[in-house]
Amino acid sequence: MAEVLRLEGIRKSYNVGTPAETEVLHGIDLALDERDFLALMGPSGSGKSTLLNIIGLLDRPTAGRLLINGEDTGQLGDGALTQLRGRAIGFVFQYHYLISAFTARENVMMPMLVDRGRPDAAMERRADDLLERVGLARWRNNSATNMSGGQQQRVAIARALAMNPDLVLADEPTGNLDTKSADDVFELMREINRERGTTFLLVTHNDDLAARCDRIVRVVDGWIAEPSD
Ligand SMILES: Nc1ncnc2c1ncn2[C@@H]1O[C@H](COP(=O)(O)OP(=O)(O)O)[C@@H](O)[C@H]1O
Ligand SMILES: [Mg+2]
């Protein structure tokens, strides 16, 4: 099974070189294969989002190695990191970050536009196919502001899949949703994981959803906690 992600001794300090310097990740080891669906849990402030930002190549670790699809990202410059991020990783956040002036289809096209520069018919078709997959074909010309929270997260999931990523990072994607919508959004991600083999790393505080993942990893005070069972 192909290894999508490997973290070795990842550390992160903020405010390095100032009196406010604090280390928030103290040496994280973690590996994820193709098709894995992992729940990342832990108290607020324990470092989950910091870790996701590092895995998502939005921020660099202070120490340690981060490999994506076997490639050591520490060797890559900013341009190569941006390209790798765009092609290998999809993001779903708690707040959807859809562009409200854009239609659902245009939002889903965004990662393809960023990668390829200008819109074309193939991009529109792919966006429409993805919107159909998340159950929103009829909503493609609606602006995100006219949609429910659950629908907005479905658009965000379609957008995360636009570049056919190997890894989707989802940081509390159901945190703002009612129970039924949270369940639907979770099931959609689970189905996509099974259909496409996409690896998912899901941050959640929801025990019921976490129990339906393949594996649960807990972060406590910047460390991976040993499994209690
Ligand atoms: N940009 C930043 N600068 C300084 N400290 C930060 C920054 N981002 C997060 N932190 C601190 O790092 C710790 C971990 O935060 P975070 O990764 O957001 O935790 P979680 O997502 O688990 O709630 C917290 O103590 C937080 O205050
Ligand atoms: Mg967080």
Side-chain angles (χ1 to χ4, degrees):
M1 192 86 65
E3 189 176 79
V4 171
L5 174 71
R6 168 165 294 271
L7 307 179
E8 292 174 358
I10 290 289
R11 293 173 176 270
K12 178 67 183 177
S13 297
Y14 286 115
N15 306 309
V16 175
T18 78
E21 179 166 340
T22 359
E23 189 176 83
V24 299
L25 296 176
H26 309 297
I28 302 284
D29 300 323
L30 184 68
L32 287 179
D33 288 335
E34 203 181 331
R35 295 192 173 275
D36 279 350
F37 199 114
L38 177 116
L40 191 67
M41 303 191 81
S44 185
S46 57
K48 303 179 300 296
S49 293
T50 299
L51 186 60
L52 249 64
N53 286 342
I54 288 171
I55 294 171
L57 309 175
L58 297 165
D59 200 0
R60 287 189 190 257
T62 317
R65 293 210 314 155
L66 165 62
L67 288 81
I68 306 271
N69 293 327
E71 184 170 26
D72 188 344
T73 60
Q75 310 301 318
L76 302 176
D78 288 342
L81 279 184
T82 301
Q83 193 173 67
L84 180 61
R85 182 195 313 130
R87 295 185 178 171
I89 303 173
F91 296 89
V92 185
F93 299 98
Q94 179 168 11
Y95 180 72
H96 54 71
Y97 293 118
L98 300 176
I99 299 172
S100 56
F102 283 7
T103 63
R105 176 200 272 155
E106 288 165 341
N107 272 287
V108 176
M109 286 170 66
M110 273 306 288
M112 299 184 267
L113 269 173
V114 167
D115 190 68
R116 303 215 286 275
R118 62 173 65 189
D120 60 39
M123 272 184 213
E124 285 193 10
R125 268 200 308 279
R126 175 152 179 83
D128 287 353
D129 287 349
L130 286 166
L131 284 168
E132 186 170 358
R133 177 61 194 86
V134 301
L136 293 174
R138 290 192 305 124
W139 293 77
R140 60 177 176 256
N141 291 317
N142 281 64
S143 107
T145 43
N146 299 327
M147 297 186 183
S148 70
Q151 288 173 324
Q152 289 171 341
Q153 279 306 45
R154 287 170 171 271
V155 176
I157 290 168
R159 180 184 56 186
L161 297 173
M163 295 295 290
N164 197 25
D166 304 294
L167 173 64
V168 171
L169 302 175
D171 197 350
E172 302 190 43
T174 65
N176 288 333
L177 302 180
D178 62 84
T179 310
K180 169 79 170 79
S181 305
D183 206 79
D184 290 348
V185 162
F186 176 82
E187 268 314 309
L188 175 63
M189 292 190 286
R190 206 54 171 115
E191 286 167 17
I192 285 161
N193 159 252
R194 292 195 169 118
E195 283 166 20
R196 299 170 193 232
T198 312
T199 302
F200 277 76
L201 203 170
L202 169 73
V203 175
T204 183
H205 292 291
N206 184 319
D207 291 315
D208 295 330
L209 298 185
R212 284 148 65 188
C213 297
D214 297 328
R215 189 152 64 104
I216 300 175
V217 165
R218 288 197 165 73
V219 181
V220 179
D221 292 339
W223 302 91
I224 300 263
E226 293 298 321
S228 50
D229 49 358

